[in-house]
Amino acid sequence: MMRPPRILVIGATGLVGNALQRAWTRAGAEVVGATYHCHPGPGYRQLDIQNEAAVGRLLEAVSPSLVALPAANPNVDQC
């Protein structure tokens, strides 16, 4: 039996990231969500994507076959 793909969604608690995480989970993938403001619950990791070393450590720990990066600053005026 083939192992399901492991997907890392960086920005998993945002609108797009959450939709991707739910869709891939329903499709049978093993999904790990990363978010700056870590929310309690299984499958979430805290990550500051501005910290290159932290990103490297998470990639090494999760060993994903696919990485999605829908993370964004939701404050339109600040952007």
Side-chain angles (χ1 to χ4, degrees):
M1 186 164 112
M2 241 178 116
R3 181 178 155 192
R6 179 176 290 157
I7 301 171
L8 174 62
V9 179
I10 299 174
T13 57
L15 183 67
V16 175
N18 186 265
L20 289 172
Q21 187 170 12
R22 286 182 290 131
W24 279 322
T25 298
R26 280 193 306 268
E30 180 185 342
V31 183
V32 175
T35 175
Y36 181 72
H37 300 289
C38 195
H39 295 270
Y44 285 98
R45 305 274 186 96
Q46 184 178 21
L47 178 67
D48 177 356
I49 61 173
Q50 297 179 84
N51 183 329
E52 184 179 346
V55 172
R57 286 190 301 272
L58 183 61
L59 288 171
E60 189 173 319
V62 174
S63 189
S65 53
L66 175 73
V67 176
L69 182 57
N73 183 341
N75 186 338
V76 177
D77 292 335
Q78 184 182 17
C79 290

